[in-house]
Every structure is written in structure tokens, then in C-alpha cells.
Amino acid sequence: GESVGLHLPTLSVQEGDNSIINCAYSNSASDYFIWYKQESGKGPQFIIDIRSNMDKRQGQRVTVLLNKTVKHLSLQIAATQPGDSAVYFCAENGGRVIFGKGTRLHILP
Amino acid sequence: GAGVSQSPSNKVTEKGKDVELRCDPISGHTALYWYRQSLGQGLEFLIYFQGNSAPDKSGLPSDRFSAERTGGSVSTLTIQRTQQEDSAVYLCASSLNTGGETQYFGPGTRLLVL
């Protein structure tokens, strides 16, 4: 299966600053991408998605950028708040959904 | 509205015992996924079901793991002769179909094998 056995990298951000979480995907045929947020003790929750015919999509305080040329996805969180502390996963779908390794976002007071 | 539910929420068992984990997907969702998440790590795909098609079992780590989905709805993940390395959170997700649809996750079952 798609094993993601490494421990998660951590991004520490000052409260109020913007956060940028990056993800490299593997399948050039993937045409749908999703970001999930997983808070401690809970299952992942959908944040925002983007299809391959777009390069940017905005939600409430979140923006996803897609660069198909280099197979790179990013999640930008504006004005980071303590409630944004979580692990963030990207996922790609090119017939099979594959999750990235995840990044832990830590908010500094 | 009803989301994905899983039971039990926590399970403590002894090494060598069998366990069954249950997942109730969102009504009408044809695709159902099982993942395993070890502490502080990412998601490991185990198996998925899509409608009446044969399940994709390619992620199951050993033949001690099996899953079934009855009537296209509820799914049970069974781990036989549990080992300590099976300790993890087992997450279930469902989606409307597998055509690029968002997966909705349950809260997970935390399994501890002593």
C-alpha cells in the first residue's frame, strides 16, 4: 500500500502570520487534489480542493495553489489562528487516491 | 446530518486475539476506504470497496487482515491474531464514488494491542 512511514515534518508559525504548507505529488495523471486537516484525536476533515484545470482556488482564509509543471501543491492559511493547529494532508486522485505524508502546523503564541 | 461512524472508538486487546472494527459510511456513498495511521505518522491505505466491484486489497499488510462490506453499506475490518505492531488508529472514509470525489472520514478506532 501507499506507506507513509516517516515521522511528520513540523511547521511552526507565529499566530497572525500566514502559513504555507507544501506538497509534492507523484502522478502526473492526477486531476483532482484535496487538502485535509486532522486535529488531535479526530479523523481528517476536508478543507479545500482543486481540479487540474485550475491553478488557484480560494476559500475562507485558505488558498490552494497547483503547479502541474513541477507537480506541486500548496496550502496557504491567512492570519493563522490557534485553532489551525493540526496535521495537514494533501491528497491526489488519478484513479486511486494517494495521501501525502502530512505536515504538522504548530502555532506560536 | 449523519457522517461516517466507526465503532468501537477505542479497543484494547491482547496479543493473539482477533478484533473486528466497524464502519458505517454516509448513506448513498458507494466507495468505502480503510486506512491505518500509526502515532504521529501519515495515512496508510489498506483497502477500498467500490459498489459491487471486487475490492482493492493491495494495501493490506498481511493475510491476518481482511475486510468485507455487506450490502454495499456497512464494512468490517478484521484483524486476526493481533500483534503489537497492529496498534494504530484505523480510519474509515467514504465517498460518493471514486471519480475524484472527496472522502469523508470517520473518527477512527484506536486499537491498542498489549
Side-chain angles (χ1 to χ4, degrees):
Chain A
E2 285 76 28
S3 177
V4 283
L6 298 178
H7 287 283
L8 300 175
T10 298
L11 174 67
S12 295
V13 175
Q14 205 76 36
E15 182 179 349
D17 287 353
N18 296 335
S19 301
I20 300 176
I21 301 171
N22 297 303
C23 177
Y25 64 93
S26 57
N27 185 357
S28 57
S30 292
D31 58 3
Y32 180 57
F33 305 87
I34 312 116
W35 279 100
Y36 289 88
K37 173 185 180 183
Q38 186 178 24
E39 295 176 285
S40 181
K42 299 181 180 179
Q45 290 184 299
F46 170 88
I47 303 174
I48 191 168
D49 60 1
I50 189 168
R51 295 201 179 269
S52 59
N53 60 351
M54 303 172 68
D55 54 21
K56 180 179 180 179
R57 190 168 187 212
Q58 289 185 294
Q60 186 178 16
R61 277 203 311 120
V62 294
T63 301
V64 55
L65 299 177
L66 174 64
N67 185 331
K68 296 180 288 294
T69 302
V70 295
K71 293 190 287 187
H72 184 267
L73 196 66
S74 69
L75 176 70
Q76 299 179 3
I77 305 173
T80 310
Q81 302 170 0
D84 296 328
S85 289
V87 175
Y88 291 81
F89 293 97
C90 66
E92 58 176 307
N93 192 334
R96 156 83 74 85
V97 177
I98 299 174
F99 283 83
K101 296 179 181 179
T103 297
R104 185 178 304 281
L105 181 62
H106 177 60
I107 311 304
L108 301 169
Chain B
V4 177
S5 60
Q6 293 185 244
S7 61
S9 54
N10 293 280
K11 176 71 176 179
V12 181
T13 191
E14 293 179 346
K15 178 182 173 181
K17 296 286 180 72
D18 298 351
V19 295
E20 282 190 354
L21 313 180
R22 177 188 168 106
C23 173
D24 285 85
I26 293 173
S27 178
H29 281 194
T30 60
L32 186 147
Y33 305 78
W34 282 100
Y35 296 89
R36 180 169 69 176
Q37 186 175 37
S38 299
L39 185 63
Q41 297 191 18
L43 299 174
E44 178 186 3
F45 166 79
L46 296 177
I47 186 172
Y48 93 82
F49 300 86
Q50 168 57 24
N52 295 321
S53 303
D56 178 347
K57 304 180 181 180
S58 60
L60 295 178
S62 77
D63 58 7
R64 296 187 295 106
F65 288 72
S66 63
E68 62 177 24
R69 189 179 185 191
T70 55
S73 180
V74 172
S75 177
T76 301
L77 177 69
T78 301
I79 309 173
Q80 296 178 308
R81 305 180 301 283
T82 52
Q83 303 295 312
Q84 289 183 329
E85 60 263 29
D86 298 335
S87 297
V89 175
Y90 290 82
L91 291 160
C92 174
S94 70
S95 67
L96 197 57
N97 57 56
T98 55
E101 297 293 333
T102 302
Q103 295 181 26
Y104 295 87
F105 283 82
T109 293
R110 285 150 192 79
L111 174 66
L112 177 61
V113 182
L114 300 176

